[in-house]
Amino acid sequence: MSKYNHDYDILRHDPLEFRLVTIHAGALPSPITASLSTHPLKDAPPYEALSYVWGPFDEKDPDLILLNDYGFVVTTNLSRAMYSLRKEDTDRILWIDAISIDQDDLDERSSQVQLMRDIYRAASGTVVWLGEELLYTDRTFDLLKSLSAGWGGSSDASHEVVQQRVSELHRVLLTDEKFRKVVQRGVYGDMGQRDFWTRIWVVQEVALSSNVTIVCGSNEMDWQEFSDTIWNLDEASNMAMATPENELDIGGLSNIDTFSIMRELLRDAVNLRLSDIVALLRRSRSTDPRDMIYGLLGLVPRCSIRVDYSNASTKYVYLDLVHRCIVEEESLDIVTLCRKTSSNLELPSWVPDWTDPWVLGYGEDYKAMTNPDPPSYPLILKYGSGALLKNFISNTSSGLDSTLQFEAWSADASSAPRASIDKTLSTLTAGGVPIGSISQLGDWTFRGDDEGEIFFFDIMSSWENLMIQRFDMCQDTNSGRTILDVFDRLLDIMIGHLGDSAVDIVKEKEDKIQRRLVQKRDRKARYQETFATYVAGGSIVEAFIRTVVVDTDASFQRLSPAKYEAFWDADVTGSLAWGLEIYALTFATNRRFFITGNGYIGLAPIRANIGDKLCVLYGCSVPLVLREEHGVVGLVGEAYVHGLMRGEAVALVQKGTWKGRQWVFR
C-alpha cells in the first residue's frame, strides 16, 4: 500500500500555489474526514500551519483518514494530532506538509520546501503538536501555567525581575518535594525527551510564525509563556539540583532558547547567516541528511542554495554549503566544525558532517573507544548558543539589546578568504600562515577521567609536566610564582567550589593533597628554576593559566587583568572568583594541551597527533590543525593558540618575520 495514495493535481508556479487541508468537524468515535484544496499562496483563506514530528507509519495496522472521500495513510503521530486538533462544531483549515505536499514527487517537494518561509509567515498561527499525554503531562502543564500566570508573562521582564524569579524557583525546588518531582519527571523526564525538540524543521516553523501554540494531548499553552517558564525553571534547576544524585538531562529543551531567539532576531529583521544557524543547530536531527541544510533555508531568504531532492547528493549539499560561505559570507569559519576522522558520506576533511550527532560525552564510554571524538565547546562563541549568537549580532548591529558584550576571536577574520573549491576533485585550496608543528601533546580532558569529583587531577598534572619538561620551572618575574603554583591554585579553587555543594570530598581532598605534595617534591628536585618569557611575550605562567580556560571567563568574557589576578586570591567567594571556570573547564574539556616546536602553547582537538601542523587561514577566526601524510593535507580541527588569536600571525607576515603559503585540503 502506498503511503501517499492521493491523486494530486499539478501545482502552478505562476501564481505560486500550495494546498490546504480542511479537517471537517466531528468527534469520536467518527473517523477523521478531510478535504484537500489548492490555492494561490497570496490569495488563500485563513489557515494554521502544523509543526510536528512525522514519526513512523504503522505497517501492520495503518492509520487511515478519509481525504476527499478516499482513504489516505498517515503516520500514527499525525493521526493522533488530527484527532486532537479536530473541532466538534466547525471545520479547521491547516497546512500539513505530509498531506499538502505530494511526497512522491521530488520536484514538487523541492519547490514547496523553498516556499516554506512564505507558508509559515502567511499562516494565522502555528500549532506545535508535542504528542499525547504521558503520566506527568497534565501536572507539568498545570505547573507551567500556574507559574506563568503568577508572573503575568515573562517576555518583557527585566533582567533583575527574571533573576528574582529564578531565585524564588531555586528556593522552592530545594524545599518543596512535590514541586521538584514534577520538574524532574514532567519537565525533564517528559517534555525534554520528546523528539519534537531535536527535529531540524521545527526551528524555522516556530521562528517564522507570528503566533505559536503548544499542544500536548488536551493541554495548550502559548509558546512565549511556555518557553520563558521552561527557561526560568532550568536556570533554577541548574542551581538547585546540580548534584550527582539529582543530575538532570534537559534533552531537546536546550533548543527552546534558540528557537525564541531566532524568532526575536527575525522579528527585528536581522539578516542571519546560514552558516551560523546550521552550526548553532548541529545537534538537531533529520531523516533526510540534506534537510540539515534545506530545513533552515527559510530563515535566510537571500541564500542562493536551491532545494533539489532529485539530483543533489548529501555530499554535494554539504560541500556546497562551505562553498557558499566562502563566496557569499566571505568566511572560512564553517570549517572549524570539522571533527571526524572519517564519514559514511565520504566527505573531504574540510566539510563538516552534519549527520554527526554532536552529543557531548564525559564518561568512560569515550575513553574505551579506539578513536574517541566527543565534541568540544566551539571556540567561535556564536556557535555555542542562541544567546551568544544574539550577542555577537548585537555587537555588530544597531538597534538590538545585548546582555553581554564579548570579543570574538579574530586570528584572521578581518580578511576575505584566499580560497577556492574544486567540486569535481573535492578539494579546498586556501592560503594562510603556517605557525609550527606540535612537538609535545598531553592527554585530553574529560569529566569522569578520575573516580572522584576533582576530575582533572591527573590531566592537569600531565599538562604541568609537559610545561616543566619544555620550559623548566619557569617563574613569573613580577610575582615570583612558578608553574607549580598554577596547579596548586587549580586544586584550591576546585576544593573551595565543591565545598559549597553537598558533595562529600573529604577523603578525596586528603588523598589528592598528599599526592600533590609528593609530586611537587619530585618535580622541584628534577628541574631548575628559570625566568623564561613566552614566545609571544609576557609570562609563561600567565600564558598557561589563560590557555587552560582559553582566556575566557564563565560569562564568555575575555579575562581582564583584574580577573587574572583574582586567580591568585585566596578568597574564593569574591565577585571575580574562579570557581565556575575551574569547575566547568568549558573549553579544555574534550581537548588536548600541546606545545609547538617554536614554543607556542594551546589546546587542540582530541585526534591531534605529534607532528601535526598549525596554521591560520585567511578569513578564519581561529587557528586550525592540519595533517600532511603522503602528500595529502587533511583538516583535523580548530585550535586555541595563545598569543595568535587576535591577528598576530598575519601581522608577523606583514612584517616579513613569517611567510604565508597555500595548502590543498582533501
Side-chain angles (χ1 to χ4, degrees):
M1 179 187 296
S2 170
K3 298 185 181 76
Y4 313 105
N5 51 3
H6 182 74
D7 185 16
Y8 285 94
D9 57 355
I10 303 299
L11 293 176
R12 292 185 297 174
H13 295 283
D14 188 17
L16 291 170
E17 292 183 330
F18 75 137
R19 303 185 189 94
L20 292 173
V21 179
T22 299
I23 303 176
H24 299 302
L28 289 173
S30 65
I32 291 290
T33 61
S35 56
L36 191 63
S37 54
T38 301
H39 304 272
L41 185 57
K42 292 188 177 180
D43 189 24
Y47 67 93
E48 299 169 282
L50 181 62
S51 180
Y52 67 109
V53 174
W54 275 34
F57 289 90
D58 189 332
E59 302 291 350
K60 294 182 179 180
D61 185 17
D63 293 276
L64 283 167
I65 65 169
L66 283 176
L67 185 65
N68 290 3
D69 298 323
Y70 290 92
F72 186 86
V73 180
V74 296
T75 66
T76 301
N77 191 45
L78 178 53
S79 173
R80 291 169 178 170
M82 296 178 78
Y83 274 105
S84 178
L85 298 176
R86 180 174 61 175
K87 297 181 178 180
E88 292 188 9
D89 53 358
T90 183
D91 293 348
R92 190 168 191 173
I93 303 175
L94 294 134
W95 185 83
I96 305 173
D97 60 351
I99 304 175
S100 298
I101 300 174
D102 182 355
Q103 299 293 333
D104 285 338
D105 185 336
L106 296 181
D107 290 336
E108 180 177 306
R109 276 178 59 195
S110 299
S111 62
Q112 288 287 292
V113 165
Q114 206 84 43
L115 294 177
M116 285 180 67
R117 175 184 177 88
D118 298 321
I119 291 172
Y120 275 89
R121 284 202 150 180
S124 60
T126 292
V127 178
V128 167
W129 170 252
L130 293 183
E132 293 190 306
E133 295 104 331
L134 297 176
L135 180 62
Y136 272 83
T137 302
D138 291 344
R139 278 174 281 184
T140 300
F141 272 87
D142 288 344
L143 174 68
L144 296 177
K145 290 177 181 179
S146 173
L147 289 172
S148 181
W151 295 333
S154 304
S155 57
D156 297 325
S158 67
H159 178 71
E160 291 74 17
V161 170
V162 170
Q163 291 307 307
Q164 289 175 3
R165 293 171 180 169
V166 170
S167 297
E168 175 61 18
L169 287 173
H170 175 213
R171 183 191 64 77
V172 177
L173 282 165
L174 289 174
T175 57
D176 189 329
E177 185 177 351
K178 290 183 179 179
F179 185 94
R180 183 167 63 249
K181 184 177 290 186
V182 174
V183 172
Q184 289 175 312
R185 299 183 182 180
V187 175
Y188 289 87
D190 177 355
M191 293 294 107
Q193 306 310 313
R194 293 183 182 246
D195 292 339
F196 176 87
W197 305 112
T198 57
R199 177 176 169 265
I200 194 69
W201 286 103
V202 304
V203 182
Q204 69 172 12
E205 293 167 3
V206 169
L208 293 170
S209 304
S210 56
N211 299 295
V212 182
T213 302
I214 299 276
V215 179
C216 189
S218 59
N219 296 282
E220 292 189 12
M221 192 171 180
D222 173 75
W223 167 271
Q224 196 62 53
E225 294 176 1
F226 180 89
S227 61
D228 287 343
T229 309
I230 290 287
W231 187 90
N232 289 335
L233 272 173
D234 187 52
E235 286 290 297
S237 299
N238 287 336
M239 296 188 295
M241 295 187 281
T243 58
E245 63 271 19
N246 285 323
E247 189 172 349
L248 298 170
D249 176 14
I250 192 174
L253 288 176
S254 59
N255 282 335
I256 277 191
D257 194 40
T258 298
F259 294 175
S260 295
I261 286 173
M262 289 294 176
R263 296 188 74 205
E264 179 183 349
L265 293 174
L266 290 170
R267 181 196 65 199
D268 293 332
V270 172
N271 292 324
L272 298 171
R273 304 203 317 179
L274 181 60
S275 62
D276 292 345
I277 302 171
V278 174
L280 184 63
L281 294 162
R282 60 196 177 277
R283 295 184 184 88
S284 298
R285 301 270 52 86
S286 65
T287 302
D288 187 327
R290 294 171 293 185
D291 288 341
M292 290 296 292
I293 311 302
Y294 291 163
L296 298 171
L297 294 181
L299 299 171
V300 190
R302 282 182 282 277
C303 179
S304 62
I305 293 177
R306 311 308 297 175
V307 178
D308 185 357
Y309 288 111
S310 299
N311 303 300
S313 66
T314 301
K315 178 180 178 180
Y316 177 85
V317 173
Y318 288 7
L319 188 149
D320 189 50
L321 173 64
V322 179
H323 178 253
R324 304 284 176 175
C325 292
I326 294 173
V327 174
E328 298 174 10
E329 299 178 1
E330 296 189 335
S331 172
L332 271 171
D333 284 352
I334 196 71
V335 306
T336 64
L337 292 169
C338 295
R339 68 177 189 85
K340 299 196 76 172
T341 54
S342 62
S343 169
N344 294 332
L345 302 174
E346 298 183 349
L347 298 173
S349 66
W350 49 273
V351 175
D353 182 359
W354 303 109
T355 66
D356 184 8
W358 276 89
V359 177
L360 290 175
Y362 304 115
E364 290 295 337
D365 289 344
Y366 279 111
K367 278 290 185 178
M369 293 180 181
T370 303
N371 294 303
D373 62 351
S376 48
Y377 202 90
L379 293 174
I380 298 178
L381 290 180
K382 62 180 178 177
Y383 296 164
S385 71
L388 289 171
L389 175 60
K390 176 188 173 183
N391 278 278
F392 175 83
I393 293 173
S394 300
N395 291 349
T396 56
S397 303
S398 59
L400 282 177
D401 293 330
S402 176
T403 303
L404 298 172
Q405 297 289 325
F406 61 78
E407 175 194 351
W409 293 127
S410 184
D412 191 42
S414 58
S415 300
R418 301 178 192 179
S420 61
I421 289 175
D422 187 320
K423 293 184 179 180
T424 303
L425 298 176
S426 297
T427 58
L428 167 67
T429 301
V433 184
I435 295 172
S437 299
I438 295 176
S439 61
Q440 292 168 279
L441 190 63
D443 203 352
W444 55 283
T445 309
F446 80 113
R447 309 191 77 86
D449 187 57
D450 188 285
E451 292 181 356
E453 293 298 317
I454 307 175
F455 64 92
F456 58 71
F457 186 93
D458 291 329
I459 294 297
M460 286 299 164
S461 174
S462 69
W463 290 11
E464 176 188 80
N465 198 42
L466 287 179
M467 288 290 291
I468 297 174
Q469 287 175 357
R470 178 59 183 271
F471 302 110
D472 284 319
M473 198 75 66
C474 44
Q475 194 174 46
D476 187 302
T477 54
N478 294 322
S479 66
R481 301 181 183 112
T482 71
I483 287 294
L484 294 181
D485 295 318
V486 176
F487 190 16
D488 286 347
R489 280 301 298 151
L490 290 174
L491 275 179
D492 289 344
I493 293 169
M494 186 67 162
I495 289 169
H497 183 76
L498 292 173
D500 292 333
S501 69
V503 180
D504 182 6
I505 61 167
V506 174
K507 291 183 179 179
E508 181 187 2
K509 172 183 173 182
E510 294 175 353
D511 171 66
K512 285 177 176 170
I513 288 177
Q514 185 59 38
R515 287 171 59 190
R516 179 59 180 161
L517 291 173
V518 174
Q519 189 180 80
K520 283 177 63 178
R521 188 164 53 243
D522 174 65
R523 291 176 179 176
K524 283 183 177 180
R526 292 169 56 198
Y527 297 99
Q528 297 180 345
E529 290 190 358
T530 68
F531 290 94
T533 56
Y534 185 55
V535 62
S539 161
I540 291 180
V541 173
E542 182 171 349
F544 184 46
I545 295 169
R546 290 182 179 272
T547 296
V548 168
V549 294
V550 300
D551 207 10
T552 305
D553 69 17
S555 298
F556 299 103
Q557 309 294 299
R558 299 292 168 242
L559 295 185
S560 65
K563 180 70 176 183
Y564 170 74
E565 287 302 322
F567 177 82
W568 304 105
D569 193 342
D571 179 10
V572 297
T573 62
S575 60
L576 296 176
W578 278 62
L580 290 176
E581 285 80 7
I582 303 308
Y583 178 75
L585 285 180
T586 300
F587 295 96
T589 297
N590 298 332
R591 285 191 169 95
R592 308 179 74 174
F593 178 76
F594 69 82
I595 305 176
T596 66
N598 52 352
Y600 284 95
I601 64 175
L603 297 176
I606 290 172
R607 61 191 183 96
N609 290 334
I610 290 177
D612 286 348
K613 295 178 171 56
L614 291 124
C615 69
V616 171
L617 294 184
Y618 298 120
C620 192
S621 295
V622 297
L624 300 170
V625 179
L626 56 89
R627 183 171 299 152
E628 296 185 72
E629 295 179 315
H630 311 296
V632 176
V633 180
L635 181 61
V636 177
E638 65 177 359
Y640 174 85
V641 184
H642 189 71
L644 294 177
M645 302 299 290
R646 295 180 171 91
E648 296 90 343
V650 176
L652 288 170
V653 171
Q654 293 171 345
K655 291 179 181 179
T657 306
W658 285 359
K659 292 183 178 180
R661 63 158 290 185
Q662 194 175 74
W663 294 269
V664 179
F665 294 91
R666 297 185 184 275

